Amino acid sequence: MIYLPARIALLLLSATIGNAPQIAAWLASMRQQPCRVIAEAHRAVPLYPLFFHPSGTLMPLKNRIDGSYKQRTGLYKPVAVFASGHQRRCAWPPGKLPPVADVVRVLRCYHLLPAIFFMKSRADCDQAVQRYGRIAPQLRRPRLEHLGHRIDRLTEHSAMLGEHRHMTCLRQFAVGAHHGGQLPGWKLVLEHLMTEGLLDVVFATSTVAAGVNFPARTIVMLNSDRFDGSQFAPLNATELHQMTGRAGRRGKDKIGFALLLPGKYMDLKWAASLFEQPPANVDSQIQVNFSMVLNLLLSHTPQQVEELYQHAFAAWQLRRSAKRDRESQTLLRDFQRHRVFLQAQGYLDPDGVPTTAGMWAARLRVDQPLLIAEGLRRGCFPDRDPILLA
Protein backbone atom coordinates (compact mmCIF):
# COMPACT_ATOMS: atom_id res chain seq x y z
CA MET A 1 0.00 0.00 0.00
CA ILE A 2 2.92 2.32 0.64
CA TYR A 3 4.35 1.64 -2.81
CA LEU A 4 1.10 2.11 -4.75
CA PRO A 5 0.65 5.45 -6.55
CA ALA A 6 -2.14 7.52 -5.02
CA ARG A 7 -4.07 7.38 -8.33
CA ILE A 8 -4.70 3.66 -7.76
CA ALA A 9 -7.86 3.20 -5.70
CA LEU A 10 -7.93 0.73 -2.80
CA LEU A 11 -10.95 -1.27 -1.65
CA LEU A 12 -10.31 -3.03 1.67
CA LEU A 13 -12.76 -5.54 3.15
CA SER A 14 -12.64 -7.25 6.53
CA ALA A 15 -14.98 -8.39 9.28
CA THR A 16 -12.28 -8.64 11.94
CA ILE A 17 -10.66 -5.21 12.31
CA GLY A 18 -11.47 -3.20 15.38
CA ASN A 19 -9.65 0.02 14.43
CA ALA A 20 -10.66 0.58 10.81
CA PRO A 21 -10.90 4.40 11.28
CA GLN A 22 -7.27 4.45 12.46
CA ILE A 23 -6.06 2.51 9.41
CA ALA A 24 -8.11 4.80 7.17
CA ALA A 25 -6.49 7.86 8.77
CA TRP A 26 -3.02 6.39 8.16
CA LEU A 27 -3.82 5.69 4.49
CA ALA A 28 -5.25 9.17 4.02
CA SER A 29 -2.19 10.85 5.54
CA MET A 30 0.24 8.70 3.55
CA ARG A 31 -1.51 8.83 0.16
CA GLN A 32 -2.90 12.38 0.45
CA GLN A 33 -6.26 10.99 -0.59
CA PRO A 34 -9.48 10.65 1.43
CA CYS A 35 -10.22 7.18 2.75
CA ARG A 36 -13.77 6.44 3.89
CA VAL A 37 -14.85 3.73 6.31
CA ILE A 38 -18.19 2.06 5.60
CA ALA A 39 -19.15 0.01 8.62
CA GLU A 40 -21.83 -2.70 8.59
CA ALA A 41 -22.61 -4.42 11.88
CA HIS A 42 -25.45 -6.58 10.55
CA ARG A 43 -24.57 -10.22 9.88
CA ALA A 44 -26.19 -11.39 6.63
CA VAL A 45 -26.74 -14.89 8.06
CA PRO A 46 -27.41 -14.82 11.83
CA LEU A 47 -25.13 -16.97 13.97
CA TYR A 48 -26.54 -19.39 16.56
CA PRO A 49 -24.05 -20.90 19.07
CA LEU A 50 -24.74 -24.49 20.15
CA PHE A 51 -23.32 -26.89 22.72
CA PHE A 52 -22.84 -30.64 22.18
CA HIS A 53 -23.57 -32.38 25.48
CA PRO A 54 -21.65 -35.64 26.11
CA SER A 55 -25.01 -37.41 26.07
CA GLY A 56 -25.31 -36.52 22.39
CA THR A 57 -27.87 -33.77 22.95
CA LEU A 58 -27.65 -30.47 21.09
CA MET A 59 -28.63 -27.42 23.11
CA PRO A 60 -28.23 -23.63 22.94
CA LEU A 61 -24.92 -22.35 24.26
CA LYS A 62 -26.40 -19.13 25.65
CA ASN A 63 -29.78 -17.79 26.67
CA ARG A 64 -31.86 -16.02 24.05
CA ILE A 65 -33.43 -12.58 24.35
CA ASP A 66 -37.00 -12.08 23.07
CA GLY A 67 -36.64 -15.06 20.77
CA SER A 68 -33.83 -13.40 18.79
CA TYR A 69 -30.57 -15.05 17.84
CA LYS A 70 -28.50 -12.31 19.46
CA GLN A 71 -27.27 -14.07 22.56
CA ARG A 72 -26.28 -11.54 25.19
CA THR A 73 -27.02 -13.11 28.55
CA GLY A 74 -25.21 -15.94 30.29
CA LEU A 75 -24.82 -19.60 29.46
CA TYR A 76 -27.90 -21.71 28.94
CA LYS A 77 -28.67 -23.23 32.35
CA PRO A 78 -27.82 -26.90 31.52
CA VAL A 79 -24.59 -25.69 29.89
CA ALA A 80 -23.79 -23.52 32.91
CA VAL A 81 -24.31 -26.51 35.22
CA PHE A 82 -22.00 -28.59 33.04
CA ALA A 83 -19.36 -25.84 32.89
CA SER A 84 -19.46 -25.36 36.66
CA GLY A 85 -17.93 -28.80 37.12
CA HIS A 86 -20.83 -30.62 38.74
CA GLN A 87 -21.41 -32.61 35.57
CA ARG A 88 -18.21 -31.74 33.79
CA ARG A 89 -16.80 -34.60 31.77
CA CYS A 90 -15.26 -34.92 28.35
CA ALA A 91 -17.11 -36.38 25.41
CA TRP A 92 -13.94 -38.35 24.72
CA PRO A 93 -10.79 -39.33 26.66
CA PRO A 94 -8.16 -36.59 27.08
CA GLY A 95 -5.52 -36.73 24.36
CA LYS A 96 -7.82 -38.63 22.01
CA LEU A 97 -9.81 -37.44 19.02
CA PRO A 98 -13.53 -36.88 19.53
CA PRO A 99 -16.00 -39.41 18.10
CA VAL A 100 -16.30 -37.40 14.92
CA ALA A 101 -18.60 -39.90 13.19
CA ASP A 102 -21.06 -39.71 16.11
CA VAL A 103 -21.01 -35.91 16.06
CA VAL A 104 -21.56 -35.87 12.29
CA ARG A 105 -24.42 -38.32 12.67
CA VAL A 106 -26.18 -35.91 15.06
CA LEU A 107 -25.51 -32.95 12.77
CA ARG A 108 -26.94 -34.88 9.83
CA CYS A 109 -30.12 -35.68 11.79
CA TYR A 110 -30.75 -31.97 12.32
CA HIS A 111 -29.69 -30.91 8.79
CA LEU A 112 -26.64 -29.02 10.08
CA LEU A 113 -24.22 -30.19 7.38
CA PRO A 114 -21.88 -29.31 5.74
CA ALA A 115 -19.59 -28.68 8.69
CA ILE A 116 -16.04 -27.57 9.27
CA PHE A 117 -14.29 -29.13 12.28
CA PHE A 118 -11.48 -26.91 13.57
CA MET A 119 -8.80 -29.28 14.87
CA LYS A 120 -5.73 -28.59 16.99
CA SER A 121 -3.10 -29.86 14.54
CA ARG A 122 -2.51 -31.16 11.04
CA ALA A 123 -2.05 -34.68 12.36
CA ASP A 124 -5.44 -34.50 14.09
CA CYS A 125 -7.06 -33.48 10.80
CA ASP A 126 -5.56 -36.44 8.95
CA GLN A 127 -6.40 -38.89 11.73
CA ALA A 128 -9.99 -37.62 11.87
CA VAL A 129 -10.43 -38.34 8.15
CA GLN A 130 -9.14 -41.88 8.60
CA ARG A 131 -11.27 -42.53 11.69
CA TYR A 132 -14.37 -41.12 10.02
CA GLY A 133 -13.76 -43.20 6.91
CA ARG A 134 -13.72 -46.45 8.88
CA ILE A 135 -17.26 -46.16 10.26
CA ALA A 136 -19.10 -43.52 8.20
CA PRO A 137 -22.00 -44.58 5.96
CA GLN A 138 -21.25 -44.51 2.24
CA LEU A 139 -23.00 -41.95 0.09
CA ARG A 140 -26.03 -42.95 -1.94
CA ARG A 141 -25.41 -43.78 -5.58
CA PRO A 142 -26.69 -40.58 -7.33
CA ARG A 143 -24.64 -38.33 -5.06
CA LEU A 144 -21.69 -40.73 -5.14
CA GLU A 145 -21.59 -40.58 -8.94
CA HIS A 146 -22.00 -36.80 -9.10
CA LEU A 147 -19.22 -36.24 -6.57
CA GLY A 148 -16.97 -38.71 -8.40
CA HIS A 149 -17.48 -36.98 -11.76
CA ARG A 150 -16.67 -33.59 -10.21
CA ILE A 151 -13.51 -34.92 -8.53
CA ASP A 152 -12.40 -36.46 -11.83
CA ARG A 153 -12.76 -33.09 -13.56
CA LEU A 154 -10.83 -31.25 -10.85
CA THR A 155 -7.96 -33.76 -10.77
CA GLU A 156 -7.75 -34.80 -14.42
CA HIS A 157 -4.49 -32.92 -14.99
CA SER A 158 -2.73 -34.21 -11.87
CA ALA A 159 -2.00 -37.89 -11.36
CA MET A 160 -0.52 -37.05 -7.95
CA LEU A 161 -3.82 -35.66 -6.70
CA GLY A 162 -5.66 -38.69 -8.02
CA GLU A 163 -3.46 -40.90 -5.82
CA HIS A 164 -3.83 -38.78 -2.67
CA ARG A 165 -4.09 -40.90 0.48
CA HIS A 166 -7.46 -39.31 1.34
CA MET A 167 -8.98 -39.78 -2.11
CA THR A 168 -11.00 -42.86 -1.13
CA CYS A 169 -12.56 -41.07 1.85
CA LEU A 170 -13.25 -38.02 -0.30
CA ARG A 171 -15.03 -40.05 -2.99
CA GLN A 172 -16.99 -42.42 -0.75
CA PHE A 173 -17.81 -40.25 2.27
CA ALA A 174 -17.52 -36.60 1.05
CA VAL A 175 -14.95 -35.80 3.74
CA GLY A 176 -11.47 -34.29 3.56
CA ALA A 177 -8.66 -32.56 5.47
CA HIS A 178 -7.52 -29.01 4.72
CA HIS A 179 -4.34 -27.68 6.34
CA GLY A 180 -0.91 -26.24 5.61
CA GLY A 181 0.64 -29.68 5.17
CA GLN A 182 -1.54 -30.55 2.19
CA LEU A 183 -0.61 -29.91 -1.43
CA PRO A 184 -1.96 -26.58 -2.73
CA GLY A 185 -3.72 -28.44 -5.53
CA TRP A 186 -5.48 -30.73 -3.05
CA LYS A 187 -6.63 -27.79 -0.94
CA LEU A 188 -7.99 -26.12 -4.06
CA VAL A 189 -9.98 -29.26 -4.92
CA LEU A 190 -11.54 -29.23 -1.44
CA GLU A 191 -12.34 -25.54 -1.68
CA HIS A 192 -14.13 -26.04 -5.01
CA LEU A 193 -16.11 -29.01 -3.71
CA MET A 194 -17.05 -27.26 -0.47
CA THR A 195 -18.13 -24.09 -2.29
CA GLU A 196 -20.31 -26.19 -4.58
CA GLY A 197 -21.95 -27.92 -1.60
CA LEU A 198 -20.62 -31.38 -2.45
CA LEU A 199 -18.82 -32.15 0.83
CA ASP A 200 -20.31 -33.05 4.21
CA VAL A 201 -17.29 -32.54 6.47
CA VAL A 202 -13.91 -30.86 6.32
CA PHE A 203 -11.38 -31.24 9.11
CA ALA A 204 -9.19 -28.14 9.14
CA THR A 205 -6.74 -26.15 11.21
CA SER A 206 -7.54 -22.54 12.05
CA THR A 207 -5.58 -21.36 8.98
CA VAL A 208 -8.67 -22.02 6.85
CA ALA A 209 -10.50 -19.38 8.90
CA ALA A 210 -8.64 -16.49 7.28
CA GLY A 211 -8.67 -15.64 3.61
CA VAL A 212 -10.31 -18.80 2.21
CA ASN A 213 -13.82 -18.93 0.74
CA PHE A 214 -14.95 -22.02 2.61
CA PRO A 215 -18.69 -21.77 3.39
CA ALA A 216 -20.45 -24.24 5.68
CA ARG A 217 -23.70 -24.42 7.59
CA THR A 218 -21.93 -25.30 10.84
CA ILE A 219 -18.48 -24.83 12.29
CA VAL A 220 -17.40 -27.14 15.12
CA MET A 221 -14.90 -25.96 17.74
CA LEU A 222 -12.99 -28.46 19.86
CA ASN A 223 -10.72 -26.02 21.70
CA SER A 224 -10.86 -22.51 23.10
CA ASP A 225 -7.15 -22.01 22.43
CA ARG A 226 -4.88 -22.18 19.40
CA PHE A 227 -1.17 -22.51 18.60
CA ASP A 228 0.25 -19.06 17.82
CA GLY A 229 3.54 -20.32 16.42
CA SER A 230 5.38 -20.72 19.71
CA GLN A 231 2.81 -21.74 22.31
CA PHE A 232 -0.89 -22.40 22.88
CA ALA A 233 -2.79 -19.26 23.80
CA PRO A 234 -6.51 -18.58 24.43
CA LEU A 235 -8.55 -17.64 21.38
CA ASN A 236 -9.32 -13.95 21.04
CA ALA A 237 -12.44 -12.38 19.58
CA THR A 238 -10.83 -11.75 16.20
CA GLU A 239 -9.84 -15.41 15.80
CA LEU A 240 -13.29 -16.58 16.82
CA HIS A 241 -14.94 -14.15 14.37
CA GLN A 242 -12.74 -15.51 11.60
CA MET A 243 -13.73 -19.09 12.42
CA THR A 244 -17.45 -18.39 12.79
CA GLY A 245 -17.35 -16.31 9.62
CA ARG A 246 -17.50 -19.62 7.71
CA ALA A 247 -20.82 -20.56 9.36
CA GLY A 248 -23.90 -19.78 7.31
CA ARG A 249 -23.94 -19.77 3.51
CA ARG A 250 -25.47 -16.63 2.08
CA GLY A 251 -28.38 -17.53 -0.19
CA LYS A 252 -28.52 -21.10 1.16
CA ASP A 253 -28.84 -20.83 4.95
CA LYS A 254 -31.13 -18.70 7.07
CA ILE A 255 -28.96 -19.38 10.13
CA GLY A 256 -25.33 -20.36 10.65
CA PHE A 257 -24.31 -22.52 13.61
CA ALA A 258 -21.22 -22.64 15.82
CA LEU A 259 -21.06 -25.88 17.79
CA LEU A 260 -18.79 -26.18 20.84
CA LEU A 261 -17.66 -29.64 21.94
CA PRO A 262 -16.66 -30.24 25.58
CA GLY A 263 -13.11 -31.32 26.10
CA LYS A 264 -9.93 -30.84 28.08
CA TYR A 265 -8.98 -27.71 26.16
CA MET A 266 -12.43 -26.13 25.87
CA ASP A 267 -13.20 -23.32 28.33
CA LEU A 268 -16.93 -22.88 27.72
CA LYS A 269 -17.27 -19.63 29.66
CA TRP A 270 -14.36 -18.02 27.84
CA ALA A 271 -15.47 -19.22 24.41
CA ALA A 272 -19.05 -18.06 25.03
CA SER A 273 -17.85 -14.59 26.06
CA LEU A 274 -15.96 -14.18 22.78
CA PHE A 275 -19.16 -14.23 20.73
CA GLU A 276 -20.07 -10.77 22.04
CA GLN A 277 -16.62 -9.21 22.09
CA PRO A 278 -15.59 -6.85 19.27
CA PRO A 279 -12.61 -7.79 17.09
CA ALA A 280 -9.21 -6.65 18.27
CA ASN A 281 -7.32 -3.72 16.81
CA VAL A 282 -4.79 -4.30 14.05
CA ASP A 283 -1.44 -2.96 15.23
CA SER A 284 1.81 -2.91 13.36
CA GLN A 285 3.95 -6.00 13.98
CA ILE A 286 6.98 -4.74 12.06
CA GLN A 287 10.33 -5.58 13.62
CA VAL A 288 13.60 -4.51 12.07
CA ASN A 289 15.96 -7.47 11.73
CA PHE A 290 19.03 -8.38 9.69
CA SER A 291 17.12 -10.32 7.04
CA MET A 292 14.70 -7.43 6.47
CA VAL A 293 17.50 -4.88 6.19
CA LEU A 294 19.48 -6.99 3.71
CA ASN A 295 16.42 -7.65 1.54
CA LEU A 296 15.37 -4.01 1.50
CA LEU A 297 18.87 -2.90 0.54
CA LEU A 298 18.90 -5.32 -2.40
CA SER A 299 16.48 -2.99 -4.19
CA HIS A 300 16.61 0.30 -2.25
CA THR A 301 19.19 2.83 -1.26
CA PRO A 302 19.54 3.52 2.48
CA GLN A 303 17.77 6.86 1.95
CA GLN A 304 14.83 5.13 0.26
CA VAL A 305 14.56 2.62 3.10
CA GLU A 306 14.47 5.43 5.65
CA GLU A 307 11.69 7.13 3.70
CA LEU A 308 9.81 3.83 3.56
CA TYR A 309 10.00 3.46 7.33
CA GLN A 310 8.72 7.01 7.81
CA HIS A 311 5.55 6.00 5.91
CA ALA A 312 5.09 2.74 7.84
CA PHE A 313 1.95 2.18 9.90
CA ALA A 314 4.14 1.58 12.97
CA ALA A 315 5.78 5.00 12.68
CA TRP A 316 2.37 6.63 12.17
CA GLN A 317 1.00 4.89 15.28
CA LEU A 318 3.99 6.02 17.32
CA ARG A 319 3.59 9.61 16.18
CA ARG A 320 -0.10 9.56 17.04
CA SER A 321 0.30 7.89 20.43
CA ALA A 322 3.49 9.54 21.67
CA LYS A 323 2.96 12.90 19.94
CA ARG A 324 6.73 13.19 19.99
CA ASP A 325 8.80 12.98 16.86
CA ARG A 326 11.68 11.40 18.76
CA GLU A 327 9.55 8.36 19.58
CA SER A 328 8.52 7.97 15.93
CA GLN A 329 12.16 7.62 14.93
CA THR A 330 12.43 4.18 16.59
CA LEU A 331 12.28 2.31 13.28
CA LEU A 332 14.93 4.55 11.73
CA ARG A 333 17.27 4.08 14.68
CA ASP A 334 16.85 0.31 14.54
CA PHE A 335 17.50 0.31 10.79
CA GLN A 336 20.65 2.40 11.15
CA ARG A 337 21.92 0.21 14.00
CA HIS A 338 21.46 -2.96 11.94
CA ARG A 339 23.02 -1.31 8.90
CA VAL A 340 26.17 -0.27 10.79
CA PHE A 341 26.62 -3.78 12.15
CA LEU A 342 26.16 -5.40 8.71
CA GLN A 343 28.74 -3.03 7.22
CA ALA A 344 31.21 -3.87 9.99
CA GLN A 345 30.76 -7.61 9.29
CA GLY A 346 31.20 -7.26 5.54
CA TYR A 347 27.62 -7.88 4.44
CA LEU A 348 27.22 -4.30 3.19
CA ASP A 349 29.71 -2.00 1.51
CA PRO A 350 30.30 1.56 2.82
CA ASP A 351 27.42 2.84 0.62
CA GLY A 352 24.95 0.37 2.10
CA VAL A 353 24.88 -1.93 -0.95
CA PRO A 354 24.88 -5.70 -0.16
CA THR A 355 28.19 -7.40 -0.89
CA THR A 356 28.37 -10.92 -2.36
CA ALA A 357 28.06 -12.31 1.17
CA GLY A 358 25.12 -10.01 1.86
CA MET A 359 23.31 -11.06 -1.33
CA TRP A 360 23.30 -14.77 -0.50
CA ALA A 361 22.69 -14.15 3.22
CA ALA A 362 19.54 -12.23 2.26
CA ARG A 363 18.19 -15.38 0.62
CA LEU A 364 18.45 -17.54 3.74
CA ARG A 365 14.92 -18.42 4.83
CA VAL A 366 15.74 -19.74 8.28
CA ASP A 367 15.57 -18.60 11.87
CA GLN A 368 18.61 -16.51 12.86
CA PRO A 369 19.82 -16.02 9.23
CA LEU A 370 22.85 -13.91 10.18
CA LEU A 371 24.06 -16.47 12.70
CA ILE A 372 23.71 -19.22 10.09
CA ALA A 373 25.47 -17.04 7.49
CA GLU A 374 28.39 -16.45 9.84
CA GLY A 375 28.62 -20.16 10.57
CA LEU A 376 28.79 -20.91 6.85
CA ARG A 377 31.40 -18.20 6.21
CA ARG A 378 33.63 -19.43 9.01
CA GLY A 379 33.27 -23.13 8.20
CA CYS A 380 31.68 -23.98 11.53
CA PHE A 381 29.26 -26.54 10.11
CA PRO A 382 29.89 -30.14 8.97
CA ASP A 383 29.73 -29.43 5.24
CA ARG A 384 30.55 -33.03 4.29
CA ASP A 385 27.47 -34.43 6.05
CA PRO A 386 24.33 -32.92 4.49
CA ILE A 387 21.99 -34.52 7.05
CA LEU A 388 23.95 -33.24 10.03
CA LEU A 389 24.34 -29.86 8.31
CA ALA A 390 20.57 -29.59 7.88
Side-chain angles (χ1 to χ4, degrees):
M1 291 189 287
I2 294 174
Y3 284 129
L4 283 176
R7 60 183 171 78
I8 298 178
L10 293 175
L11 177 62
L12 311 174
L13 175 66
S14 178
T16 53
I17 291 180
N19 58 335
Q22 189 182 51
I23 295 175
W26 166 63
L27 286 169
S29 67
M30 177 184 66
R31 294 165 58 85
Q32 300 299 306
Q33 295 281 349
C35 182
R36 292 170 51 198
V37 175
I38 302 174
E40 176 56 76
H42 174 72
R43 199 180 196 272
V45 180
L47 181 69
Y48 193 85
L50 296 171
F51 174 67
F52 187 92
H53 195 274
S55 64
T57 304
L58 288 182
M59 57 184 65
L61 177 67
K62 304 182 74 176
N63 293 316
R64 289 193 293 177
I65 295 180
D66 300 328
S68 72
Y69 293 110
K70 294 182 178 179
Q71 319 251 337
R72 298 192 182 279
T73 56
L75 290 172
Y76 185 58
K77 186 174 180 180
V79 180
V81 172
F82 179 90
S84 68
H86 299 304
Q87 297 181 1
R88 185 172 179 81
R89 59 188 185 277
C90 295
W92 63 93
K96 302 291 185 180
L97 288 178
V100 291
D102 293 336
V103 177
V104 172
R105 190 178 299 115
V106 173
L107 294 178
R108 180 176 282 110
C109 288
Y110 291 97
H111 305 287
L112 298 182
L113 298 178
I116 300 173
F117 282 68
F118 286 104
M119 314 296 284
K120 210 172 188 68
S121 67
R122 301 175 181 181
D124 283 353
C125 294
D126 294 337
Q127 291 174 20
V129 171
Q130 296 167 359
R131 171 179 287 194
Y132 182 80
R134 286 197 293 266
I135 57 177
Q138 195 173 34
L139 303 178
R140 294 182 178 179
R141 182 170 295 278
R143 189 181 172 201
L144 193 69
E145 292 177 350
H146 179 56
L147 176 60
H149 290 320
R150 192 70 185 100
I151 292 174
D152 290 340
R153 289 291 304 274
L154 292 171
T155 61
E156 60 184 348
H157 299 298
S158 175
M160 184 179 296
L161 292 180
E163 298 172 355
H164 195 281
R165 65 186 186 279
H166 292 166
M167 182 57 77
T168 299
C169 289
L170 184 65
R171 287 182 178 275
Q172 296 183 359
F173 310 114
V175 60
H178 187 292
H179 54 71
Q182 298 280 19
L183 293 169
W186 178 257
K187 291 191 288 185
L188 196 59
V189 168
L190 291 184
E191 290 165 21
H192 279 299
L193 295 175
M194 193 69 170
T195 302
E196 296 169 16
L198 297 179
L199 298 186
D200 283 343
V201 182
V202 170
F203 299 104
T205 54
S206 57
T207 54
V208 79
V212 178
N213 182 24
F214 224 50
R217 179 166 293 173
T218 304
I219 65 105
V220 182
M221 296 173 54
L222 283 70
N223 311 293
S224 57
D225 62 354
R226 67 182 293 271
F227 189 67
D228 62 8
S230 59
Q231 61 183 353
F232 284 97
L235 284 174
N236 59 40
T238 296
E239 291 161 346
L240 180 122
H241 290 324
Q242 288 176 338
M243 296 166 71
T244 58
R246 309 295 160 226
R249 300 165 298 177
R250 184 178 299 206
K252 294 184 179 181
D253 299 321
K254 293 183 179 180
I255 307 172
F257 298 89
L259 177 64
L260 274 62
L261 268 61
K264 181 179 180 180
Y265 302 106
M266 172 59 75
D267 184 334
L268 289 172
K269 294 180 180 179
W270 173 252
S273 71
L274 295 178
F275 283 93
E276 302 304 330
Q277 293 183 21
N281 289 348
V282 173
D283 295 316
S284 174
Q285 301 296 317
I286 188 173
Q287 291 183 344
V288 180
N289 56 44
F290 293 115
S291 183
M292 174 188 286
V293 171
L294 285 172
N295 277 279
L296 283 173
L297 290 174
L298 285 174
S299 55
H300 298 74
T301 65
Q303 293 73 26
Q304 290 172 329
V305 175
E306 292 179 3
E307 184 178 354
L308 190 68
Y309 279 137
Q310 288 176 342
H311 287 299
F313 186 44
W316 185 88
Q317 285 186 310
L318 284 169
R319 287 195 293 269
R320 288 291 295 266
S321 61
K323 300 186 184 301
R324 293 193 306 273
D325 188 63
R326 196 174 82 175
E327 292 293 332
S328 69
Q329 301 300 311
T330 301
L331 287 175
L332 294 180
R333 289 199 303 271
D334 284 349
F335 166 71
Q336 292 163 356
R337 182 167 55 87
H338 282 72
R339 175 189 165 188
V340 168
F341 184 86
L342 288 168
Q343 285 175 323
Q345 299 302 317
Y347 291 96
L348 298 175
D349 68 17
D351 295 325
V353 178
T355 61
T356 302
M359 293 175 67
W360 64 256
R363 295 183 176 91
L364 290 176
R365 298 294 182 262
V366 294
D367 293 333
Q368 305 295 337
L370 196 65
L371 192 62
I372 299 296
E374 276 296 287
L376 291 170
R377 291 176 74 189
R378 301 187 183 199
C380 299
F381 299 129
D383 55 357
R384 295 187 180 184
D385 188 336
I387 295 177
L388 190 56
L389 173 62

